[in-house]
């Protein structure tokens, strides 16, 4: 198996999990062009991808999703709640100005008046042939007015010119806690505490190797700790240094969100997990989703190394750092 982290951080997240026969892209948080560029740099072929798997609907995990899926013609796997949240996010919404609203009301009044006039003509006691002619004339005028409405014509032209941003070649639903497979990779999704519709982490298993991805979680609940046992390669969040976050540039409301139980793991929280609950089976621990504003790679690495230093049997675990700006070297087992 192989894990290739293409990007990890607040500006975009994506990784490729591969077996001998299957390749899955986990999240598409960069533009389609940038994702393809980074895959080429990392030696991954975008056209060889079998599917895209989404952890949750936040922009730094789905920014390039629609364009990439349509370009490659591959299925996208969501939970149903995440798919619905993504649809709401990408569906265009048009806000009317007050003047536009007045124009719309005027058109609706005129349409109602025309309909009333048409009904009056239809029920008139005049000669049927004359009534029919008048009614047909009114209907023809109404149809002509509708066809010649420049706003509607422009709207139709724009809808034909732009692809539907919510269209995906194929959508597959999975459920947290229920194992499923893509090709020869068995995938076990597990619920994570984050402020999204239905966020998940994943364990991937194939060819006797188990890899896991757990980022974007405010704390480590028992179900996550249980899911991260017997893992050979672990991508784990180490988002922020507590002091840097408190003294950093974020507004207080954002700081509260990051610090909450549906926010992000601090270096300290990650170190606590590694010291107290980690079973030590991973050959590689990849620290990911590091904040560029509220963390430093040296601080994240130091916290993790100190946590493992108290357990001599774990000193063989190699700690790596995932970057925002460039893909990592592939990790192969």
């Amino acid at each position: 198996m192989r894990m290739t982290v293409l990007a990890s951080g607040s500006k975009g997240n994506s990784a490729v999990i591969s077996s001998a026969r299957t390749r899955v892209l986990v999240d598409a948080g960069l533009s389609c062009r940038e994702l393809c560029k980074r895959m080429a740099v990392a030696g991954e072929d975008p056209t060889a991808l079998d599917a895209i798997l989404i952890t949750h609907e936040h922009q730094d995990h789905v920014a390039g999703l629609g364009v990439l899926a349509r370009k490659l013609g591959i299925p996208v796997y969501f939970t149903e709640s995440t798919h619905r949240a993504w649809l709401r996010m990408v569906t265009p919404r048009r806000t009317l100005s007050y003047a536009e609203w007045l124009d719309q009301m005027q058109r609706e009044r005129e349409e109602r008046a025309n309909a009333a006039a048409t009904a009056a003509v239809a029920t008139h006691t005049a000669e049927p042939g004359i009534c029919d002619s008048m009614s047909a004339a009114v209907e023809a005028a109404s149809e002509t007015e509708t066809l010649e409405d420049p706003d509607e014509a422009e709207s139709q032209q724009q809808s034909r010119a732009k692809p539907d941003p919510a269209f995906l070649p194929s959508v597959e639903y999975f459920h947290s806690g229920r194992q499923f497979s893509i090709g020869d990779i068995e995938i076990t999704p597990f619920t994570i505490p984050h402020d999204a519709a239905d966020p998940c982490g994943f364990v991937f298993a194939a060819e006797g190797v188990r890899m896991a991805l757990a980022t974007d979680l405010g704390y480590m609940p028992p179900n996550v700790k249980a899911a991260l046992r017997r893992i050979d390669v672990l991508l784990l969040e180490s988002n922020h240094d507590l002091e840097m976050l408190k003294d950093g540039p974020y507004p207080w409301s954002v700081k509260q969100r990051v610090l909450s139980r549906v926010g992000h793991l601090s270096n300290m929280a990650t170190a606590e997990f590694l010291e107290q609950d980690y079973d030590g089976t991973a050959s590689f621990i990849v620290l990911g989703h590091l904040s560029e504003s509220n963390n430093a790679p040296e601080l994240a690495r130091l916290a993790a190394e100190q946590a493992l230093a108290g357990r001599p049997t774990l000193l063989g675990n190699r700690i790596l750092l995932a970057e925002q700006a460039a893909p990592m070297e592939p990790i192969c087992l």
Side-chain angles (χ1 to χ4, degrees), residues 237-249:
E237 180 172 57
S238 189
N239 177 256
H240 59 275
D241 174 78
L242 289 172
E243 294 305 317
M244 287 185 68
L245 176 64
K246 291 175 182 177
D247 296 334

Side-chain angles (χ1 to χ4, degrees), residues 49-52 66-76 167-170:
L49 290 174
D50 295 287
I52 302 174
V67 176
L68 184 66
R70 289 191 289 271
K71 179 177 180 178
L72 300 178
I74 56 178
V76 181
F167 171 76
L168 296 172
S170 176

Side-chain angles (χ1 to χ4, degrees), residues 97-294:
S97 66
Y98 182 64
E100 290 172 328
W101 179 80
L102 288 177
D103 289 342
Q104 180 175 309
M105 294 299 100
Q106 179 64 26
R107 285 197 298 270
E108 290 179 359
R109 282 194 293 270
E110 290 174 355
E111 289 171 1
R112 288 195 294 270
N114 289 337
T118 301
V121 170
T123 57
H124 199 274
T125 56
E127 183 180 347
I130 297 177
C131 290
D132 292 343
S133 300
M134 293 177 63
S135 179
V138 172
E139 290 178 3
S142 177
E143 289 177 3
T144 301
E145 180 181 357
T146 301
L147 290 174
E148 293 177 355
D149 185 344
D151 292 337
E152 184 174 347
E154 182 181 358
S155 175
Q156 291 176 351
Q157 184 176 1
Q158 289 178 349
S159 65
R160 286 193 296 267
K162 295 181 180 179
D164 180 1
F167 171 76
L168 296 172
S170 176
V171 172
E172 300 286 345
Y173 289 147
F174 64 84
H175 300 274
S176 183
R178 297 185 192 175
Q179 188 180 92
F180 65 100
S181 295
I182 300 176
D184 63 340
I185 300 179
E186 291 184 350
I187 303 171
T188 304
F190 53 89
T191 297
I192 57 175
H194 193 52
D195 54 354
D198 189 12
C200 293
F202 300 104
V203 174
F204 305 91
E207 303 169 14
V209 176
R210 287 165 56 83
M211 297 181 170
L213 186 152
T215 65
D216 297 76
L217 61 167
Y219 72 105
M220 296 289 287
N223 75 299
V224 175
K225 294 177 182 179
L228 300 184
R229 292 190 172 277
R230 298 179 295 106
I231 301 299
D232 298 294
V233 179
L234 172 60
L235 173 57
L236 182 63
E237 180 172 57
S238 189
N239 177 256
H240 59 275
D241 174 78
L242 289 172
E243 294 305 317
M244 287 185 68
L245 176 64
K246 291 175 182 177
D247 296 334
Y250 285 4
W252 176 238
S253 60
V254 178
K255 293 179 182 181
Q256 286 179 307
R257 172 192 172 263
V258 173
L259 290 167
S260 74
R261 287 169 71 83
V262 290
H264 294 275
L265 283 184
S266 67
N267 295 341
M268 183 182 296
T270 301
E272 183 178 304
F273 164 74
L274 293 175
E275 185 175 0
Q276 298 179 8
D277 299 291
Y278 169 56
D279 64 0
T281 60
S283 300
F284 296 91
I285 298 173
V286 183
L287 303 179
H289 215 300
L290 274 66
S291 170
E292 294 180 296
S293 301
N294 304 301

